[in-house]
Tab-separated table of all heavy atoms in Angstrom:
chain	number	residue	atom	x	y	z
A	1	MET	N	-99.512	144.942	-95.073
A	1	MET	CA	-98.229	144.343	-95.316
A	1	MET	C	-97.792	143.789	-94.010
A	1	MET	O	-97.790	144.437	-92.993
A	1	MET	CB	-97.272	145.291	-95.907
A	1	MET	CG	-95.996	144.668	-96.255
A	1	MET	SD	-94.989	145.946	-97.070
A	1	MET	CE	-93.433	145.051	-97.248
A	2	THR	N	-97.345	142.517	-94.025
A	2	THR	CA	-96.799	141.939	-92.746
A	2	THR	C	-95.292	141.860	-92.901
A	2	THR	O	-94.706	141.813	-93.873
A	2	THR	CB	-97.357	140.556	-92.561
A	2	THR	OG1	-97.033	139.718	-93.725
A	2	THR	CG2	-98.941	140.557	-92.419
A	3	SER	N	-94.669	141.882	-91.667
A	3	SER	CA	-93.147	141.809	-91.671
A	3	SER	C	-92.676	140.375	-91.794
A	3	SER	O	-91.473	140.235	-92.155
A	3	SER	CB	-92.732	142.406	-90.344
A	3	SER	OG	-93.137	141.584	-89.241
A	4	GLY	N	-93.524	139.370	-91.663
A	4	GLY	CA	-93.129	138.065	-91.770
A	4	GLY	C	-92.541	137.433	-90.460
A	4	GLY	O	-92.300	136.304	-90.282
A	5	LYS	N	-92.476	138.346	-89.422
A	5	LYS	CA	-91.956	137.923	-88.148
A	5	LYS	C	-93.097	137.314	-87.375
A	5	LYS	O	-94.205	137.800	-87.430
A	5	LYS	CB	-91.314	138.997	-87.314
A	5	LYS	CG	-89.993	139.446	-87.829
A	5	LYS	CD	-89.431	140.474	-86.900
A	5	LYS	CE	-88.079	140.958	-87.274
A	5	LYS	NZ	-87.558	142.067	-86.449
A	6	LYS	N	-92.841	136.220	-86.728
A	6	LYS	CA	-93.847	135.688	-85.783
A	6	LYS	C	-93.942	136.538	-84.500
A	6	LYS	O	-92.895	136.791	-83.821
A	6	LYS	CB	-93.412	134.264	-85.422
A	6	LYS	CG	-94.516	133.581	-84.671
A	6	LYS	CD	-94.168	132.130	-84.427
A	6	LYS	CE	-95.292	131.381	-83.646
A	6	LYS	NZ	-94.958	129.991	-83.399
A	7	GLU	N	-95.131	137.029	-84.182
A	7	GLU	CA	-95.243	137.832	-83.087
A	7	GLU	C	-95.307	137.008	-81.739
A	7	GLU	O	-96.039	136.052	-81.703
A	7	GLU	CB	-96.597	138.642	-83.146
A	7	GLU	CG	-96.463	140.031	-82.727
A	7	GLU	CD	-97.797	140.780	-82.970
A	7	GLU	OE1	-97.964	141.234	-84.148
A	7	GLU	OE2	-98.502	140.986	-82.009
A	8	GLU	N	-94.490	137.375	-80.686
A	8	GLU	CA	-94.507	136.659	-79.469
A	8	GLU	C	-95.525	137.282	-78.606
A	8	GLU	O	-95.572	138.480	-78.457
A	8	GLU	CB	-93.140	136.656	-78.943
A	8	GLU	CG	-92.163	135.778	-79.611
A	8	GLU	CD	-90.917	135.636	-78.812
A	8	GLU	OE1	-90.961	135.608	-77.584
A	8	GLU	OE2	-89.854	135.399	-79.433
A	9	LYS	N	-96.244	136.389	-77.956
A	9	LYS	CA	-97.228	136.835	-76.881
A	9	LYS	C	-96.510	137.046	-75.594
A	9	LYS	O	-95.672	136.194	-75.182
A	9	LYS	CB	-98.355	135.880	-76.784
A	9	LYS	CG	-99.244	135.721	-77.972
A	9	LYS	CD	-100.441	134.847	-77.630
A	9	LYS	CE	-100.065	133.446	-78.006
A	9	LYS	NZ	-101.112	132.551	-77.740
A	10	GLN	N	-96.889	138.088	-74.934
A	10	GLN	CA	-96.379	138.339	-73.560
A	10	GLN	C	-97.358	137.824	-72.569
A	10	GLN	O	-98.513	138.100	-72.582
A	10	GLN	CB	-96.172	139.827	-73.311
A	10	GLN	CG	-95.391	140.113	-72.075
A	10	GLN	CD	-95.193	141.592	-71.869
A	10	GLN	OE1	-96.082	142.398	-72.042
A	10	GLN	NE2	-94.043	141.962	-71.520
A	11	VAL	N	-96.814	136.904	-71.716
A	11	VAL	CA	-97.665	136.253	-70.697
A	11	VAL	C	-97.436	137.014	-69.371
A	11	VAL	O	-96.321	137.172	-68.979
A	11	VAL	CB	-97.330	134.758	-70.579
A	11	VAL	CG1	-98.256	134.094	-69.554
A	11	VAL	CG2	-97.515	134.105	-71.881
A	12	ILE	N	-98.600	137.345	-68.705
A	12	ILE	CA	-98.511	138.087	-67.445
A	12	ILE	C	-98.927	137.211	-66.274
A	12	ILE	O	-99.928	136.388	-66.418
A	12	ILE	CB	-99.507	139.270	-67.513
A	12	ILE	CG1	-99.262	140.244	-68.750
A	12	ILE	CG2	-99.478	140.088	-66.189
A	12	ILE	CD1	-97.935	140.853	-68.730
A	13	CYS	N	-98.230	137.164	-65.211
A	13	CYS	CA	-98.554	136.454	-64.036
A	13	CYS	C	-99.886	136.928	-63.408
A	13	CYS	O	-100.077	138.121	-63.162
A	13	CYS	CB	-97.387	136.613	-63.020
A	13	CYS	SG	-97.770	135.649	-61.464
A	14	PHE	N	-100.882	136.032	-63.301
A	14	PHE	CA	-102.150	136.427	-62.828
A	14	PHE	C	-102.057	136.979	-61.384
A	14	PHE	O	-102.758	137.866	-61.155
A	14	PHE	CB	-103.120	135.227	-62.849
A	14	PHE	CG	-104.491	135.477	-62.476
A	14	PHE	CD1	-105.357	136.211	-63.375
A	14	PHE	CD2	-104.925	135.258	-61.233
A	14	PHE	CE1	-106.651	136.452	-62.960
A	14	PHE	CE2	-106.256	135.515	-60.801
A	14	PHE	CZ	-107.111	136.174	-61.698
A	15	LYS	N	-101.233	136.452	-60.594
A	15	LYS	CA	-101.062	136.829	-59.172
A	15	LYS	C	-100.357	138.192	-59.036
A	15	LYS	O	-100.766	139.065	-58.320
A	15	LYS	CB	-100.391	135.791	-58.386
A	15	LYS	CG	-100.202	136.037	-56.965
A	15	LYS	CD	-99.467	134.883	-56.257
A	15	LYS	CE	-99.149	135.216	-54.785
A	15	LYS	NZ	-98.244	134.241	-54.242
A	16	CYS	N	-99.145	138.286	-59.637
A	16	CYS	CA	-98.279	139.432	-59.426
A	16	CYS	C	-98.409	140.530	-60.402
A	16	CYS	O	-97.942	141.640	-60.237
A	16	CYS	CB	-96.792	138.961	-59.379
A	16	CYS	SG	-96.419	137.631	-58.236
A	17	LYS	N	-99.046	140.239	-61.548
A	17	LYS	CA	-99.362	141.249	-62.685
A	17	LYS	C	-98.061	141.787	-63.253
A	17	LYS	O	-97.921	142.928	-63.555
A	17	LYS	CB	-100.174	142.377	-62.110
A	17	LYS	CG	-101.400	142.062	-61.380
A	17	LYS	CD	-102.414	141.376	-62.297
A	17	LYS	CE	-103.725	141.043	-61.507
A	17	LYS	NZ	-104.430	139.891	-61.890
A	18	VAL	N	-97.044	140.872	-63.423
A	18	VAL	CA	-95.754	141.253	-64.042
A	18	VAL	C	-95.519	140.232	-65.180
A	18	VAL	O	-95.993	139.112	-65.126
A	18	VAL	CB	-94.618	141.227	-63.074
A	18	VAL	CG1	-94.785	142.206	-61.946
A	18	VAL	CG2	-94.380	139.830	-62.494
A	19	PRO	N	-94.853	140.745	-66.201
A	19	PRO	CA	-94.615	139.697	-67.331
A	19	PRO	C	-93.591	138.587	-66.880
A	19	PRO	O	-92.720	138.788	-66.046
A	19	PRO	CB	-93.813	140.664	-68.333
A	19	PRO	CG	-94.018	141.975	-67.907
A	19	PRO	CD	-94.312	142.064	-66.491
A	20	LEU	N	-93.900	137.431	-67.416
A	20	LEU	CA	-93.095	136.265	-67.149
A	20	LEU	C	-91.755	136.445	-67.890
A	20	LEU	O	-91.744	137.052	-68.984
A	20	LEU	CB	-93.843	134.966	-67.577
A	20	LEU	CG	-95.164	134.639	-66.864
A	20	LEU	CD1	-95.618	133.297	-67.211
A	20	LEU	CD2	-95.077	134.852	-65.369
A	21	GLU	N	-90.733	135.847	-67.351
A	21	GLU	CA	-89.409	135.909	-67.959
A	21	GLU	C	-88.882	134.471	-68.143
A	21	GLU	O	-89.180	133.591	-67.375
A	21	GLU	CB	-88.412	136.650	-67.063
A	21	GLU	CG	-88.831	138.032	-66.874
A	21	GLU	CD	-87.953	138.754	-65.848
A	21	GLU	OE1	-87.063	138.103	-65.214
A	21	GLU	OE2	-88.095	139.996	-65.721
A	22	ILE	N	-88.179	134.248	-69.276
A	22	ILE	CA	-87.513	132.893	-69.469
A	22	ILE	C	-86.519	132.688	-68.471
A	22	ILE	O	-85.659	133.588	-68.239
A	22	ILE	CB	-87.020	132.860	-70.929
A	22	ILE	CG1	-88.133	133.023	-71.983
A	22	ILE	CG2	-86.343	131.408	-71.135
A	22	ILE	CD1	-89.235	131.953	-72.002
A	23	GLY	N	-86.556	131.520	-67.846
A	23	GLY	CA	-85.533	131.169	-66.841
A	23	GLY	C	-85.385	129.736	-66.640
A	23	GLY	O	-86.259	128.959	-67.021
A	24	LYS	N	-84.296	129.236	-66.060
A	24	LYS	CA	-84.055	127.846	-65.815
A	24	LYS	C	-85.046	127.368	-64.807
A	24	LYS	O	-85.140	127.966	-63.661
A	24	LYS	CB	-82.696	127.705	-65.306
A	24	LYS	CG	-81.672	126.743	-65.818
A	24	LYS	CD	-81.816	125.965	-66.988
A	24	LYS	CE	-80.490	125.879	-67.687
A	24	LYS	NZ	-80.689	125.487	-69.068
A	25	VAL	N	-85.712	126.313	-64.979
A	25	VAL	CA	-86.638	125.645	-64.037
A	25	VAL	C	-86.340	124.164	-63.988
A	25	VAL	O	-85.804	123.602	-64.921
A	25	VAL	CB	-88.127	125.911	-64.312
A	25	VAL	CG1	-88.389	127.415	-64.321
A	25	VAL	CG2	-88.539	125.309	-65.617
A	26	GLU	N	-86.645	123.563	-62.888
A	26	GLU	CA	-86.475	122.108	-62.713
A	26	GLU	C	-87.927	121.409	-62.813
A	26	GLU	O	-88.794	121.868	-62.045
A	26	GLU	CB	-85.787	121.798	-61.408
A	26	GLU	CG	-85.447	120.357	-61.273
A	26	GLU	CD	-84.499	120.065	-60.162
A	26	GLU	OE1	-83.588	120.869	-59.896
A	26	GLU	OE2	-84.648	118.991	-59.540
A	27	VAL	N	-88.014	120.487	-63.585
A	27	VAL	CA	-89.310	119.732	-63.777
A	27	VAL	C	-89.084	118.327	-63.238
A	27	VAL	O	-88.080	117.736	-63.581
A	27	VAL	CB	-89.688	119.744	-65.301
A	27	VAL	CG1	-90.973	118.862	-65.469
A	27	VAL	CG2	-89.819	121.108	-65.863
A	28	THR	N	-90.057	117.884	-62.483
A	28	THR	CA	-89.959	116.535	-61.920
A	28	THR	C	-91.110	115.680	-62.344
A	28	THR	O	-92.256	116.151	-62.328
A	28	THR	CB	-89.916	116.609	-60.431
A	28	THR	OG1	-88.908	117.316	-59.979
A	28	THR	CG2	-89.825	115.190	-59.862
A	29	TYR	N	-90.865	114.513	-62.906
A	29	TYR	CA	-91.904	113.578	-63.362
A	29	TYR	C	-91.482	112.100	-63.107
A	29	TYR	O	-90.393	111.786	-63.619
A	29	TYR	CB	-92.306	113.769	-64.795
A	29	TYR	CG	-93.534	113.020	-65.267
A	29	TYR	CD1	-94.818	113.373	-64.916
A	29	TYR	CD2	-93.390	111.898	-66.083
A	29	TYR	CE1	-95.826	112.637	-65.283
A	29	TYR	CE2	-94.500	111.124	-66.453
A	29	TYR	CZ	-95.688	111.525	-66.010
A	29	TYR	OH	-96.800	110.844	-66.423
A	30	LEU	N	-92.247	111.349	-62.428
A	30	LEU	CA	-91.888	109.980	-62.065
A	30	LEU	C	-90.517	109.839	-61.625
A	30	LEU	O	-89.746	109.001	-62.061
A	30	LEU	CB	-92.127	109.094	-63.385
A	30	LEU	CG	-93.555	108.913	-63.945
A	30	LEU	CD1	-93.555	108.105	-65.134
A	30	LEU	CD2	-94.451	108.347	-62.815
A	31	ASP	N	-90.082	110.633	-60.624
A	31	ASP	CA	-88.806	110.627	-59.921
A	31	ASP	C	-87.643	110.989	-60.874
A	31	ASP	O	-86.507	110.658	-60.468
A	31	ASP	CB	-88.587	109.253	-59.350
A	31	ASP	CG	-89.539	109.005	-58.110
A	31	ASP	OD1	-89.965	109.903	-57.471
A	31	ASP	OD2	-89.894	107.775	-57.978
A	32	ASN	N	-87.885	111.565	-61.974
A	32	ASN	CA	-86.842	112.084	-62.947
A	32	ASN	C	-86.927	113.556	-62.882
A	32	ASN	O	-87.995	114.177	-62.976
A	32	ASN	CB	-87.142	111.534	-64.358
A	32	ASN	CG	-86.939	110.022	-64.416
A	32	ASN	OD1	-85.790	109.496	-64.412
A	32	ASN	ND2	-88.063	109.367	-64.479
A	33	ASN	N	-85.773	114.173	-62.811
A	33	ASN	CA	-85.605	115.616	-62.837
A	33	ASN	C	-84.948	116.126	-64.076
A	33	ASN	O	-84.029	115.535	-64.508
A	33	ASN	CB	-84.747	116.119	-61.597
A	33	ASN	CG	-85.402	115.781	-60.295
A	33	ASN	OD1	-86.641	115.697	-60.159
A	33	ASN	ND2	-84.589	115.460	-59.274
A	34	PHE	N	-85.505	117.209	-64.554
A	34	PHE	CA	-84.973	117.829	-65.822
A	34	PHE	C	-84.952	119.321	-65.580
A	34	PHE	O	-85.720	119.907	-64.970
A	34	PHE	CB	-85.951	117.581	-66.986
A	34	PHE	CG	-86.354	116.116	-67.135
A	34	PHE	CD1	-87.537	115.690	-66.526
A	34	PHE	CD2	-85.551	115.300	-67.847
A	34	PHE	CE1	-87.871	114.280	-66.658
A	34	PHE	CE2	-85.888	113.936	-67.997
A	34	PHE	CZ	-87.160	113.495	-67.394
A	35	LYS	N	-83.829	119.923	-66.146
A	35	LYS	CA	-83.663	121.403	-66.134
A	35	LYS	C	-83.942	121.885	-67.508
A	35	LYS	O	-83.425	121.332	-68.495
A	35	LYS	CB	-82.313	121.803	-65.611
A	35	LYS	CG	-82.189	121.568	-64.131
A	35	LYS	CD	-80.839	122.062	-63.625
A	35	LYS	CE	-80.749	121.848	-62.160
A	35	LYS	NZ	-79.559	122.233	-61.554
A	36	THR	N	-84.785	122.892	-67.650
A	36	THR	CA	-85.076	123.453	-68.970
A	36	THR	C	-85.483	124.966	-68.741
A	36	THR	O	-85.634	125.432	-67.681
A	36	THR	CB	-86.325	122.677	-69.540
A	36	THR	OG1	-86.466	123.170	-70.862
A	36	THR	CG2	-87.579	122.907	-68.758
A	37	ASP	N	-85.533	125.666	-69.883
A	37	ASP	CA	-85.943	127.080	-69.767
A	37	ASP	C	-87.359	127.221	-70.083
A	37	ASP	O	-87.867	126.664	-71.119
A	37	ASP	CB	-85.132	127.902	-70.816
A	37	ASP	CG	-83.625	128.033	-70.516
A	37	ASP	OD1	-83.335	128.056	-69.288
A	37	ASP	OD2	-82.797	127.949	-71.407
A	38	LEU	N	-88.172	127.862	-69.149
A	38	LEU	CA	-89.538	128.096	-69.416
A	38	LEU	C	-89.869	129.509	-68.865
A	38	LEU	O	-89.171	129.985	-68.014
A	38	LEU	CB	-90.393	127.072	-68.598
A	38	LEU	CG	-90.436	125.612	-69.217
A	38	LEU	CD1	-91.219	124.778	-68.134
A	38	LEU	CD2	-91.081	125.604	-70.567
A	39	PRO	N	-91.028	130.100	-69.312
A	39	PRO	CA	-91.464	131.341	-68.756
A	39	PRO	C	-91.850	131.208	-67.304
A	39	PRO	O	-92.554	130.246	-66.981
A	39	PRO	CB	-92.656	131.687	-69.636
A	39	PRO	CG	-92.611	130.808	-70.723
A	39	PRO	CD	-91.930	129.585	-70.401
A	40	ARG	N	-91.377	132.036	-66.506
A	40	ARG	CA	-91.719	132.000	-65.013
A	40	ARG	C	-91.790	133.443	-64.502
A	40	ARG	O	-91.186	134.370	-65.022
A	40	ARG	CB	-90.787	131.125	-64.222
A	40	ARG	CG	-89.347	131.745	-64.137
A	40	ARG	CD	-88.405	130.750	-63.431
A	40	ARG	NE	-87.211	131.403	-62.966
A	40	ARG	CZ	-87.102	132.178	-61.889
A	40	ARG	NH1	-88.098	132.399	-61.134
A	40	ARG	NH2	-85.918	132.721	-61.621
A	41	CYS	N	-92.530	133.557	-63.466
A	41	CYS	CA	-92.752	134.878	-62.798
A	41	CYS	C	-91.470	135.174	-62.046
A	41	CYS	O	-91.053	134.446	-61.189
A	41	CYS	CB	-94.013	134.812	-61.901
A	41	CYS	SG	-94.188	136.391	-61.036
A	42	PRO	N	-90.880	136.340	-62.196
A	42	PRO	CA	-89.695	136.766	-61.472
A	42	PRO	C	-90.032	137.064	-60.001
A	42	PRO	O	-89.141	137.135	-59.211
A	42	PRO	CB	-89.226	137.998	-62.166
A	42	PRO	CG	-90.392	138.553	-62.855
A	42	PRO	CD	-91.288	137.403	-63.128
A	43	ARG	N	-91.283	137.250	-59.584
A	43	ARG	CA	-91.602	137.467	-58.225
A	43	ARG	C	-92.081	136.294	-57.484
A	43	ARG	O	-91.422	135.956	-56.428
A	43	ARG	CB	-92.773	138.470	-58.146
A	43	ARG	CG	-92.323	139.922	-58.552
A	43	ARG	CD	-93.407	140.934	-58.152
A	43	ARG	NE	-93.005	142.175	-58.690
A	43	ARG	CZ	-93.822	143.228	-58.815
A	43	ARG	NH1	-95.106	143.083	-58.575
A	43	ARG	NH2	-93.428	144.336	-59.360
A	44	CYS	N	-93.068	135.541	-57.896
A	44	CYS	CA	-93.467	134.370	-57.125
A	44	CYS	C	-92.961	133.026	-57.703
A	44	CYS	O	-93.219	132.065	-56.985
A	44	CYS	CB	-95.034	134.353	-57.147
A	44	CYS	SG	-95.843	133.982	-58.698
A	45	GLY	N	-92.371	133.037	-58.840
A	45	GLY	CA	-91.818	131.785	-59.393
A	45	GLY	C	-92.824	130.880	-60.109
A	45	GLY	O	-92.420	129.805	-60.533
A	46	LEU	N	-94.038	131.339	-60.310
A	46	LEU	CA	-95.081	130.589	-61.029
A	46	LEU	C	-94.447	130.234	-62.430
A	46	LEU	O	-93.796	131.085	-63.063
A	46	LEU	CB	-96.284	131.388	-61.225
A	46	LEU	CG	-97.328	130.738	-62.077
A	46	LEU	CD1	-98.145	129.742	-61.258
A	46	LEU	CD2	-98.193	131.769	-62.776
A	47	ILE	N	-94.695	128.960	-62.910
A	47	ILE	CA	-94.095	128.563	-64.144
A	47	ILE	C	-95.266	128.381	-65.144
A	47	ILE	O	-96.306	127.830	-64.796
A	47	ILE	CB	-93.313	127.277	-64.035
A	47	ILE	CG1	-92.060	127.401	-63.076
A	47	ILE	CG2	-92.847	126.683	-65.380
A	47	ILE	CD1	-91.502	126.102	-62.622
A	48	TYR	N	-95.100	128.860	-66.398
A	48	TYR	CA	-96.089	128.745	-67.382
A	48	TYR	C	-95.569	127.687	-68.420
A	48	TYR	O	-94.452	127.824	-68.952
A	48	TYR	CB	-96.323	130.055	-68.079
A	48	TYR	CG	-97.184	129.982	-69.302
A	48	TYR	CD1	-98.541	129.683	-69.158
A	48	TYR	CD2	-96.652	130.135	-70.524
A	48	TYR	CE1	-99.332	129.593	-70.258
A	48	TYR	CE2	-97.500	130.115	-71.737
A	48	TYR	CZ	-98.759	129.792	-71.550
A	48	TYR	OH	-99.554	129.730	-72.652
A	49	VAL	N	-96.368	126.639	-68.737
A	49	VAL	CA	-95.943	125.649	-69.640
A	49	VAL	C	-96.952	125.842	-70.916
A	49	VAL	O	-98.147	125.648	-70.751
A	49	VAL	CB	-96.232	124.175	-69.120
A	49	VAL	CG1	-95.850	123.219	-70.171
A	49	VAL	CG2	-95.283	123.936	-67.918
A	50	PRO	N	-96.395	126.337	-71.995
A	50	PRO	CA	-97.246	126.617	-73.181
A	50	PRO	C	-97.891	125.304	-73.640
A	50	PRO	O	-97.375	124.211	-73.541
A	50	PRO	CB	-96.195	127.139	-74.187
A	50	PRO	CG	-95.052	127.581	-73.423
A	50	PRO	CD	-95.006	126.683	-72.182
A	51	GLU	N	-99.144	125.434	-74.183
A	51	GLU	CA	-99.911	124.337	-74.622
A	51	GLU	C	-99.160	123.453	-75.674
A	51	GLU	O	-99.187	122.243	-75.627
A	51	GLU	CB	-101.243	124.852	-75.203
A	51	GLU	CG	-102.160	123.658	-75.598
A	51	GLU	CD	-103.499	124.190	-76.089
A	51	GLU	OE1	-103.858	125.332	-75.873
A	51	GLU	OE2	-104.212	123.317	-76.713
A	52	GLU	N	-98.494	124.116	-76.602
A	52	GLU	CA	-97.764	123.320	-77.649
A	52	GLU	C	-96.638	122.594	-77.026
A	52	GLU	O	-96.374	121.438	-77.546
A	52	GLU	CB	-97.248	124.278	-78.736
A	52	GLU	CG	-96.345	125.382	-78.335
A	52	GLU	CD	-97.126	126.634	-77.878
A	52	GLU	OE1	-98.301	126.689	-77.743
A	52	GLU	OE2	-96.405	127.628	-77.641
A	53	LEU	N	-95.963	122.967	-76.002
A	53	LEU	CA	-94.899	122.208	-75.338
A	53	LEU	C	-95.565	121.058	-74.447
A	53	LEU	O	-95.070	119.947	-74.503
A	53	LEU	CB	-94.160	123.127	-74.373
A	53	LEU	CG	-93.004	122.394	-73.534
A	53	LEU	CD1	-91.982	121.815	-74.550
A	53	LEU	CD2	-92.321	123.398	-72.675
A	54	ALA	N	-96.678	121.315	-73.739
A	54	ALA	CA	-97.328	120.368	-72.954
A	54	ALA	C	-97.842	119.190	-73.809
A	54	ALA	O	-97.831	118.007	-73.417
A	54	ALA	CB	-98.456	121.017	-72.132
A	55	GLY	N	-98.350	119.516	-74.950
A	55	GLY	CA	-98.964	118.481	-75.835
A	55	GLY	C	-98.003	117.951	-76.827
A	55	GLY	O	-98.303	117.033	-77.568
A	56	GLY	N	-96.797	118.421	-76.888
A	56	GLY	CA	-95.776	117.948	-77.817
A	56	GLY	C	-94.666	117.210	-77.103
A	56	GLY	O	-94.770	116.034	-76.735
A	57	LYS	N	-93.554	117.897	-76.837
A	57	LYS	CA	-92.298	117.334	-76.313
A	57	LYS	C	-92.614	116.716	-74.935
A	57	LYS	O	-92.113	115.615	-74.649
A	57	LYS	CB	-91.163	118.319	-76.264
A	57	LYS	CG	-90.499	118.427	-77.554
A	57	LYS	CD	-89.228	119.324	-77.291
A	57	LYS	CE	-88.284	119.061	-78.529
A	57	LYS	NZ	-86.982	119.606	-78.241
A	58	MET	N	-93.342	117.395	-74.052
A	58	MET	CA	-93.568	116.928	-72.785
A	58	MET	C	-94.414	115.732	-72.762
A	58	MET	O	-94.051	114.807	-71.989
A	58	MET	CB	-94.131	118.015	-71.864
A	58	MET	CG	-93.224	119.131	-71.451
A	58	MET	SD	-93.883	120.326	-70.333
A	58	MET	CE	-93.367	119.653	-68.841
A	59	LEU	N	-95.368	115.631	-73.518
A	59	LEU	CA	-96.196	114.400	-73.682
A	59	LEU	C	-95.429	113.270	-74.214
A	59	LEU	O	-95.459	112.104	-73.650
A	59	LEU	CB	-97.394	114.693	-74.642
A	59	LEU	CG	-98.365	113.556	-74.890
A	59	LEU	CD1	-98.983	113.091	-73.526
A	59	LEU	CD2	-99.425	113.911	-75.814
A	60	GLU	N	-94.538	113.487	-75.140
A	60	GLU	CA	-93.648	112.403	-75.713
A	60	GLU	C	-92.682	111.892	-74.505
A	60	GLU	O	-92.497	110.656	-74.424
A	60	GLU	CB	-92.766	112.894	-76.792
A	60	GLU	CG	-93.575	113.167	-78.114
A	60	GLU	CD	-92.639	113.726	-79.151
A	60	GLU	OE1	-91.426	113.491	-79.083
A	60	GLU	OE2	-93.177	114.398	-80.068
A	61	LEU	N	-92.208	112.858	-73.759
A	61	LEU	CA	-91.212	112.501	-72.657
A	61	LEU	C	-92.004	111.679	-71.659
A	61	LEU	O	-91.507	110.651	-71.071
A	61	LEU	CB	-90.560	113.662	-72.100
A	61	LEU	CG	-89.608	113.437	-70.929
A	61	LEU	CD1	-88.418	112.620	-71.330
A	61	LEU	CD2	-89.134	114.765	-70.403
A	62	GLU	N	-93.202	112.122	-71.219
A	62	GLU	CA	-94.008	111.361	-70.320
A	62	GLU	C	-94.337	110.011	-70.810
A	62	GLU	O	-94.221	109.016	-69.992
A	62	GLU	CB	-95.391	112.085	-70.071
A	62	GLU	CG	-95.259	113.334	-69.230
A	62	GLU	CD	-96.596	114.068	-69.190
A	62	GLU	OE1	-97.624	113.636	-69.696
A	62	GLU	OE2	-96.566	115.213	-68.603
A	63	GLN	N	-94.678	109.820	-72.034
A	63	GLN	CA	-94.929	108.461	-72.579
A	63	GLN	C	-93.735	107.567	-72.559
A	63	GLN	O	-93.839	106.379	-72.282
A	63	GLN	CB	-95.596	108.587	-73.902
A	63	GLN	CG	-96.974	109.177	-73.960
A	63	GLN	CD	-97.554	109.549	-75.254
A	63	GLN	OE1	-96.806	109.722	-76.256
A	63	GLN	NE2	-98.822	109.755	-75.357
A	64	THR	N	-92.560	108.116	-72.875
A	64	THR	CA	-91.320	107.360	-72.874
A	64	THR	C	-90.993	106.916	-71.509
A	64	THR	O	-90.648	105.786	-71.255
A	64	THR	CB	-90.141	108.286	-73.396
A	64	THR	OG1	-90.493	108.667	-74.716
A	64	THR	CG2	-88.832	107.537	-73.412
A	65	LEU	N	-91.124	107.857	-70.517
A	65	LEU	CA	-90.842	107.448	-69.092
A	65	LEU	C	-91.866	106.409	-68.573
A	65	LEU	O	-91.504	105.525	-67.792
A	65	LEU	CB	-90.929	108.683	-68.160
A	65	LEU	CG	-89.794	109.658	-68.399
A	65	LEU	CD1	-89.993	110.942	-67.614
A	65	LEU	CD2	-88.460	109.038	-67.974
A	66	GLU	N	-93.175	106.520	-68.914
A	66	GLU	CA	-94.118	105.539	-68.443
A	66	GLU	C	-93.942	104.178	-69.128
A	66	GLU	O	-94.309	103.222	-68.505
A	66	GLU	CB	-95.524	106.116	-68.783
A	66	GLU	CG	-95.926	107.241	-67.949
A	66	GLU	CD	-97.248	107.990	-68.355
A	66	GLU	OE1	-97.765	107.471	-69.421
A	66	GLU	OE2	-97.600	108.917	-67.739
A	67	ASP	N	-93.384	104.106	-70.318
A	67	ASP	CA	-93.075	102.859	-70.983
A	67	ASP	C	-91.942	102.056	-70.341
A	67	ASP	O	-91.700	100.944	-70.563
A	67	ASP	CB	-92.823	103.046	-72.476
A	67	ASP	CG	-94.119	103.465	-73.167
A	67	ASP	OD1	-95.191	103.317	-72.630
A	67	ASP	OD2	-93.947	103.979	-74.331
A	68	LYS	N	-91.039	102.785	-69.596
A	68	LYS	CA	-89.888	102.162	-68.932
A	68	LYS	C	-90.286	101.191	-67.778
A	68	LYS	O	-91.188	101.311	-67.213
A	68	LYS	CB	-88.905	103.169	-68.338
A	68	LYS	CG	-88.170	103.937	-69.397
A	68	LYS	CD	-87.056	104.751	-68.762
A	68	LYS	CE	-86.210	105.431	-69.711
A	68	LYS	NZ	-85.245	106.341	-69.164
């Protein structure tokens, strides 16, 4: 029997071996800056961009900026 809840995966920083935490990060692309919440390492600041975000919203945004 399943609970129906989507299980979240915990991502671990390869360098520091600690779980990533959601935090505000600044993303820069083609001289445009955006602030968004993404998983990042609380020790070294490494940012993890999930594949579904990279191939979805971020790809759409990149294409929009490149068309300008």
Side-chain angles (χ1 to χ4, degrees):
M1 183 173 174
T2 60
S3 65
K5 287 185 179 179
K6 187 176 180 180
E7 222 175 280
E8 288 191 30
K9 292 187 272 183
Q10 187 177 48
V11 180
I12 306 294
C13 177
F14 183 78
K15 179 181 173 187
C16 304
K17 310 296 183 209
V18 297
L20 301 188
E21 300 174 353
I22 299 296
K24 229 11 140 196
V25 299
E26 189 167 322
V27 178
T28 302
Y29 186 74
L30 293 177
D31 295 327
N32 294 284
N33 297 329
F34 308 94
K35 289 186 179 179
T36 187
D37 291 325
L38 287 174
R40 64 183 197 83
C41 177
R43 288 194 187 159
C44 70
L46 175 86
I47 298 168
Y48 172 70
V49 178
E51 184 176 344
E52 58 274 5
L53 179 61
K57 281 189 158 192
M58 289 184 92
L59 180 60
E60 288 176 24
L61 182 60
E62 286 175 4
Q63 290 170 341
T64 301
L65 291 172
E66 289 171 359
D67 290 342
K68 284 186 176 180

